[in-house]
Amino acid sequence: MRNKRTMSLAALSIGALMLSACGSAGGTSDSDSAASSGSDENLASTITIAISQAPTAYNGNTAATNAVYNGYVDNLTSSAFVSYSPSGTLEQNTDFGSYEKTSDDPLTIEYTINDDAVWSDGTPIDYDDVLLSWAAMSGTHPTGEEDEETGEEADLFQASSTNGFSQMQMIEGEPGDKEFEVVFDKPYADWEALFTTGTFMPAHIAAEQGGLSADGDGAALVDAIQNDDRDALTPVAEFWNTGWAYEADLPSLPDTALLPSSGPYKLDNAVNGTLTVVRNEDYWGEERAGQTETMVFRTVVDEEAVQALQNGDVDIIDPSSPTVDTKTALEQIGDTVTVDTGQSFTFSHIDLDQRPGAVFEDLRVRQAFAACIPKADMVDKFVTPVDPEGSVLNLREYQPSHDDYQTVLDGAPAAQGDGVADIERARSLLEEAGKTEPVPVSMMFASTSQLRADQVALVKNSCDQAGFEITPQPEAEWSAKLPQPGAWDAVIFGWSGSGLVASGQSIYVTDGEQNFGGYTNDEVDSLWDDIATSTDSEQVVPLKTELEQALADTQYNVVLYANPSLAGYTSDLQGVELNPTQSGITWNAYTWTKQN
């Protein structure tokens, strides 16, 4: 086995964008480049990538599909103006186009899409695709009806987040335009990250499936959006919301004619959770052109990943939350496998349903639950055996590896603690809340994750002693249940961060699309408004220090630890480099090659 040196991460503010059952790949390491030595004439035609869960949708921008492994596929099949690099910064994709900020007041950006940019079915990528993304992600089409799952006013488009897009004026343009201007009503700190990989969906497909003509460069859809024609937009939005979803466990793909690619690879087929993409011969770019003919995503549960690698069933594994057993097993394989380790921006946490009438509506009950959680034990059992630098996490927008972590923590005393379960304090808080009987808590987790099952068992063993009655709730479709009020009392999962300033806003603000527990706090809402609209980087740390104090003081949720990351792959595979952001291990998979 060849180990690679772990490098430190850049000091960046975490923003949680995508959810995962156990976390996602991350960290940075030295890596062979795609141009490593080896005979180009002896390259394999196929590389197989193990993923912990099957992709759930072609469109990963909805509240139900905003998941890590959809993004893993998007890295190959989707293009946009920027993507996330291993340093946590944004990397421009000049294959796709270019952009320039032309004004700060109002914030204005000029974008240009490459003249040659086309969907894999030959349709130009242009203004109608951009306008559909704005319409879907801006939250500007309320229906006036109550969402059955959230209880809030529903929008035609069920976007995972409206961060940034809701501050954006409707993007002006004409059908077929390759150039467009974005103007913000209010500045948005992370404006540069809005048009990233996976954001743009094929408007011509949505239009046709919604009963509109796609002729004239999407003129009918453009007209419907510009004139806010709700009757015309309703079936388009319904398709955008659900029409690109896959069946559970991905037994097959929908008609691939509905799934055109804008990236170096295109979707080809799926069988029993195994998804195959092939090189997109109509891809116009050079820097991101696919180097290997076929890439296969094979769903393999973490517990079987090492064996799959050793058997040659897969070429690379990226366990969603690696354990010491994973690391040990990889070490025993020998020199035929390379192992990279590092830290990720992903962090594990427990969210709480605190709507009126819910178990955790009372702050004292939330505080009691937080007090009995054995966070330090979890770190000892599940983190430090893989990453010796791992520690209890006390903040939500920063991690211990970030330079500003201790500064923010020092300024947020409510967030401080050693993570050791305090049973007596938990009991006292429940007594103050008037709880004389055990408090029942149904705790949801991904049924495919043994790690999460083990963690819930630890919580039950500890918190049952304090006056709770924890009932484990394993769910195969756990992410689909997140936005459903009453479907769970507590849920354990991971947020996959991006290194941005404001991307976590929708998780914490009142009625935020990713605020699944119904948390509401006026101070937090106000602070997020200041953070999201700040263009002064020096103000971010003090503002987020106040935010962390408020979130901890009101016990928004229970943060546990920053997930360690580990990737193991055949030593014949070249070009692999860990990425701590939500992009994960496949961020540059289009460069990968493998020697036969």
Side-chain angles (χ1 to χ4, degrees):
M1 181 189 67
R2 292 182 291 159
N3 286 283
K4 294 186 177 180
R5 177 173 59 87
T6 300
M7 297 170 63
S8 62
L9 299 177
L12 295 166
S13 170
I14 285 182
L17 288 178
M18 304 182 78
L19 56 87
S20 65
C22 311
S24 71
T28 57
S29 70
D30 291 336
S31 176
D32 297 329
S33 69
S36 297
S37 61
S39 172
D40 289 344
E41 297 178 358
N42 194 35
L43 294 179
S45 62
T46 301
I47 293 173
T48 303
I49 305 162
I51 51 177
S52 300
Q53 296 173 333
T56 61
Y58 169 72
N59 179 14
N61 297 302
T62 77
T65 61
N66 183 234
V68 165
Y69 295 109
N70 294 332
Y72 273 34
V73 178
D74 285 344
N75 289 333
L76 294 177
T77 61
S78 174
S79 291
F81 289 99
V82 293
S83 59
Y84 296 103
S85 74
S87 67
T89 58
L90 291 168
E91 181 179 88
Q92 292 192 37
N93 179 2
T94 55
D95 275 358
F96 187 80
S98 60
Y99 57 92
E100 179 184 6
K101 183 173 71 171
T102 57
S103 173
D104 285 310
D105 186 19
L107 179 61
T108 305
I109 301 93
E110 298 279 356
Y111 289 89
T112 301
I113 299 173
N114 191 315
D115 284 339
D116 297 326
V118 296
W119 296 99
S120 55
D121 61 8
T123 304
I125 301 172
D126 52 31
Y127 175 66
D128 62 332
D129 303 304
V130 175
L131 188 62
L132 176 61
S133 292
W134 172 83
M137 307 290 279
S138 60
T140 52
H141 298 82
T143 62
E145 300 177 357
E146 183 178 288
D147 188 296
E148 293 181 1
E149 294 184 347
T150 66
E152 308 298 337
E153 184 177 19
D155 193 88
L156 284 181
F157 296 92
Q158 298 167 6
S160 60
S161 172
T162 60
N163 291 351
F165 288 94
S166 62
Q167 285 107 286
M168 193 186 290
Q169 296 178 12
M170 183 170 66
I171 302 171
E172 301 294 339
E174 299 291 335
D177 284 354
K178 287 279 191 175
E179 298 181 1
F180 60 96
E181 181 181 79
V182 171
V183 181
F184 289 82
D185 289 321
K186 293 192 300 184
Y188 184 63
D190 293 325
W191 64 266
E192 197 170 4
L194 293 177
F195 295 132
T196 190
T197 303
T199 300
F200 295 123
M201 304 303 298
H204 63 291
I205 299 296
E208 290 174 338
Q209 295 301 305
L212 297 177
S213 170
D215 294 342
D217 295 313
L221 178 60
V222 168
D223 181 74
I225 296 174
Q226 290 180 340
N227 293 292
D228 197 12
D229 184 344
R230 300 297 176 88
D231 290 339
L233 287 178
T234 295
V236 174
E238 289 174 351
F239 180 79
W240 190 91
N241 294 334
T242 62
W244 279 312
Y246 303 148
E247 291 183 50
D249 301 322
L250 196 61
S252 62
L253 279 179
D255 182 358
T256 54
L258 303 179
L259 316 174
S261 167
S262 60
Y265 288 83
K266 62 182 179 180
L267 295 161
D268 185 67
N269 70 83
V271 180
N272 297 327
T274 295
L275 174 66
T276 299
V277 301
V278 297
R279 197 154 47 202
N280 177 10
E281 300 299 338
D282 291 314
Y283 183 69
W284 63 93
E286 296 181 0
E287 292 186 9
R288 301 188 178 218
Q291 298 301 302
T292 298
E293 182 177 332
T294 302
M295 307 291 277
V296 177
F297 294 87
R298 176 167 294 173
T299 304
V300 181
V301 297
D302 285 355
E303 292 74 19
E304 299 174 4
V306 174
Q307 190 63 55
L309 178 64
Q310 187 169 11
N311 292 347
D313 296 331
V314 298
D315 296 305
I316 180 168
I317 67 172
D318 171 33
S320 57
S321 198
T323 66
V324 64
D325 292 338
T326 309
K327 185 177 182 181
T328 300
L330 285 170
E331 290 173 346
Q332 292 174 345
I333 295 177
D335 290 340
T336 58
V337 167
T338 299
V339 178
D340 292 350
T341 60
Q343 297 172 319
S344 73
F345 287 173
T346 300
F347 64 98
S348 292
H349 58 97
I350 302 172
D351 277 10
L352 310 172
D353 186 357
Q354 47 198 283
R355 296 176 177 84
V359 171
F360 293 107
E361 177 185 8
D362 192 316
L363 171 60
R364 294 165 297 186
V365 178
R366 300 199 298 274
Q367 291 173 328
F369 190 65
C372 68
I373 300 294
K375 295 169 59 173
D377 285 348
M378 288 187 185
V379 171
D380 289 342
K381 291 178 183 294
F382 306 121
V383 181
T384 54
V386 180
D387 176 16
E389 300 301 317
S391 62
V392 168
L393 181 65
N394 289 313
L395 301 177
R396 293 160 178 82
E397 288 289 296
Y398 295 89
Q399 294 188 19
S401 60
H402 297 158
D403 288 345
D404 292 322
Y405 180 86
Q406 194 59 49
T407 299
V408 174
L409 186 59
D410 289 343
Q416 297 169 10
D418 59 11
V420 175
D422 190 339
I423 304 300
E424 292 305 317
R425 180 170 184 270
R427 287 174 178 162
S428 176
L429 286 163
L430 287 179
E431 288 177 6
E432 289 180 23
K435 304 298 182 181
T436 58
E437 299 291 333
V439 177
V441 175
S442 182
M443 190 166 178
M444 186 170 72
F445 62 96
S447 60
T448 56
S449 174
Q450 184 59 47
L451 170 72
R452 294 308 190 201
D454 292 344
Q455 291 173 333
V456 171
L458 282 180
V459 172
K460 178 175 177 58
N461 182 61
S462 180
C463 290
D464 280 7
Q465 299 177 51
F468 290 95
E469 186 177 351
I470 310 297
T471 300
Q473 183 188 341
E475 296 282 359
E477 300 299 318
W478 65 276
S479 61
K481 289 182 176 291
L482 279 175
Q484 299 176 13
W488 48 273
D489 300 319
V491 56
I492 184 170
F493 64 102
W495 277 124
S496 193
S498 64
L500 302 176
V501 171
S503 55
Q505 184 176 16
S506 64
I507 296 173
Y508 305 101
V509 297
T510 301
D511 298 336
E513 296 89 348
Q514 294 171 302
N515 179 358
F516 300 120
Y519 173 86
T520 180
N521 182 275
D522 290 343
E523 181 185 3
V524 168
D525 291 348
S526 177
L527 284 167
W528 266 117
D529 188 60
D530 291 340
I531 292 166
T533 59
S534 175
T535 55
D536 183 355
S537 59
E538 294 184 0
Q539 292 300 310
V540 171
V541 169
L543 284 171
K544 286 204 170 182
T545 300
E546 292 183 57
L547 173 70
E548 294 284 2
Q549 173 68 13
L551 290 171
D553 203 36
T554 55
Q555 201 65 62
Y556 167 80
N557 64 354
V558 183
V559 286
L560 302 173
Y561 56 80
N563 292 8
S565 66
L566 178 150
Y569 50 95
T570 172
S571 296
D572 291 328
L573 186 59
Q574 297 166 342
V576 176
E577 184 175 0
L578 291 176
N579 189 322
T581 72
Q582 64 189 39
S583 294
I585 196 68
T586 64
W587 74 280
N588 70 337
Y590 50 84
T591 71
W592 294 358
T593 59
K594 187 182 77 169
Q595 293 293 317
N596 273 319

